[in-house]
Amino acid sequence: MRNITEKIIGGRKCFICAVGEGDFSVAPVVYMGVSERETGSIANIIDGLKKKTDRAFIINAFESRDWNADFSPWEAPPAFGNEPFAGHAAYTLSWLRQYGVSQTEAEYAGEDNCRKRIIAGYSLAGLFSLWAYYETYEQNLFHVAVSCSGSLWYPGFKEYFDMRVESGARRSHPGYVYLSLGDQEARTKNRQMSQVEAITRYVDEKLEKDPGVCGHIFELNPGGHSADNGIRMAKGIAWALEQEKL
């Protein structure tokens, strides 16, 4: 494994690493949104992945400085505390399209539209990963969405998801979706967040009706929202890397 390299790409701090042995010009690339306080766990996630898969891959863990803004797809009132969701996910996705993807992959023999890409995240970044997958659905920008303990309770997301699946949009490459939750996450006094398991199960079931998704899985892990988040991320990304056509 090469060292994790810290870079500024398009004004955003990124942590990039090529993992394993192989031809990195065709290796899958994982784009993973992280908060400033999570950057220290990137090495642990990579170590966990090395135990679960022997696939060569590249990872770009891109940092968010404003979590509630960067990964929320539209404005929403606070779910807890006093900070509302600013709805700046479109800016984050625009950054990925304009800078993150091209500059990351240029380092490994250039950007290739056929290269397989995984968009992954935990909590609100997990919501973002599934939203970004569907926002770029017809362009096939991402081949797999990994949403671990994703905030699928987010106001309006279920309706957005229904609209996207029922839109009749088509992909030229098959897609995959990984969903997971902790089995205690729905046990909260917060009425909005208590819907997370029901909505995640609903999403998983409805993926059967999406002709562009040829593989999907929902896993329930022991514990609450923050339990073993690095292990859960490694588990989800490893599943994504092992899909037959990736």
Side-chain angles (χ1 to χ4, degrees), residues 1-9 12-19 24 29-32 34 39 42 46 57-63 95 99-108:
M1 182 181 75
R2 303 180 188 181
N3 293 329
I4 298 173
T5 302
E6 181 179 326
K7 291 188 174 183
I8 302 296
I9 297 178
R12 189 183 293 265
K13 187 183 293 185
C14 301
F15 300 86
I16 301 172
C17 186
V19 183
F24 288 108
V29 185
V30 180
Y31 294 93
M32 180 175 68
V34 297
T39 54
I42 296 168
I46 292 173
F57 64 93
I58 301 159
I59 187 166
N60 177 345
F62 58 94
E63 186 180 271
W95 171 84
Y99 303 104
V101 168
S102 60
Q103 292 192 31
T104 300
E105 296 172 18
E107 186 173 340
Y108 301 93

Side-chain angles (χ1 to χ4, degrees), residues 19-45:
V19 183
E21 301 295 332
D23 183 359
F24 288 108
S25 69
V26 294
V29 185
V30 180
Y31 294 93
M32 180 175 68
V34 297
S35 70
E36 290 179 288
R37 65 178 181 273
E38 289 177 314
T39 54
S41 66
I42 296 168
N44 291 334
I45 293 173

Side-chain angles (χ1 to χ4, degrees), residues 9-151:
I9 297 178
R12 189 183 293 265
K13 187 183 293 185
C14 301
F15 300 86
I16 301 172
C17 186
V19 183
E21 301 295 332
D23 183 359
F24 288 108
S25 69
V26 294
V29 185
V30 180
Y31 294 93
M32 180 175 68
V34 297
S35 70
E36 290 179 288
R37 65 178 181 273
E38 289 177 314
T39 54
S41 66
I42 296 168
N44 291 334
I45 293 173
I46 292 173
D47 288 342
L49 278 163
K50 289 170 63 182
K51 295 175 183 177
K52 294 178 179 295
T53 180
D54 59 2
R55 289 290 304 270
F57 64 93
I58 301 159
I59 187 166
N60 177 345
F62 58 94
E63 186 180 271
S64 162
R65 292 188 176 180
D66 191 338
W67 182 262
N68 278 13
D70 289 344
F71 296 128
S72 54
W74 44 80
E75 292 183 4
F80 46 86
N82 299 315
E83 184 181 355
F85 297 96
H88 292 173
Y91 296 107
T92 305
L93 181 56
S94 178
W95 171 84
L96 275 166
R97 284 170 150 163
Q98 294 183 38
Y99 303 104
V101 168
S102 60
Q103 292 192 31
T104 300
E105 296 172 18
E107 186 173 340
Y108 301 93
E111 183 179 5
D112 181 353
N113 289 331
C114 295
R115 187 195 286 274
K116 303 301 189 294
R117 303 184 184 100
I118 299 164
I119 181 72
Y122 198 92
S123 192
L124 194 63
L127 170 75
F128 172 80
S129 69
L130 190 55
W131 174 84
Y133 174 86
Y134 275 100
E135 283 293 291
T136 59
Y137 187 89
E138 293 172 287
Q139 295 79 38
N140 301 286
L141 182 62
F142 301 112
H143 295 74
V144 190
V146 174
S147 177
C148 296
S149 290
S151 303

Side-chain angles (χ1 to χ4, degrees), residues 83-217:
E83 184 181 355
F85 297 96
H88 292 173
Y91 296 107
T92 305
L93 181 56
S94 178
W95 171 84
L96 275 166
R97 284 170 150 163
Q98 294 183 38
Y99 303 104
V101 168
S102 60
Q103 292 192 31
T104 300
E105 296 172 18
E107 186 173 340
Y108 301 93
E111 183 179 5
D112 181 353
N113 289 331
C114 295
R115 187 195 286 274
K116 303 301 189 294
R117 303 184 184 100
I118 299 164
I119 181 72
Y122 198 92
S123 192
L124 194 63
L127 170 75
F128 172 80
S129 69
L130 190 55
W131 174 84
Y133 174 86
Y134 275 100
E135 283 293 291
T136 59
Y137 187 89
E138 293 172 287
Q139 295 79 38
N140 301 286
L141 182 62
F142 301 112
H143 295 74
V144 190
V146 174
S147 177
C148 296
S149 290
S151 303
L152 306 192
W153 51 261
Y154 195 83
F157 180 76
K158 182 174 178 287
E159 293 76 13
Y160 167 85
F161 177 75
D162 281 339
M163 177 191 69
R164 293 297 304 182
V165 171
E166 295 167 6
S167 69
R170 294 291 182 268
R171 294 172 59 91
S172 58
H173 297 293
Y176 301 85
V177 176
Y178 177 93
L179 304 169
S180 73
L181 281 179
D183 60 9
Q184 303 298 309
E185 290 197 53
R187 297 185 180 184
T188 173
K189 293 180 180 179
N190 186 304
R191 290 183 62 187
Q192 193 167 311
M193 298 175 72
S194 68
Q195 302 175 61
V196 67
E197 185 172 334
I199 294 176
T200 304
R201 289 185 181 277
Y202 173 86
V203 167
D204 179 57
E205 291 172 5
K206 190 148 189 174
L207 286 169
E208 288 290 334
K209 299 179 180 179
D210 187 337
V213 173
C214 64
H216 63 96
I217 188 171

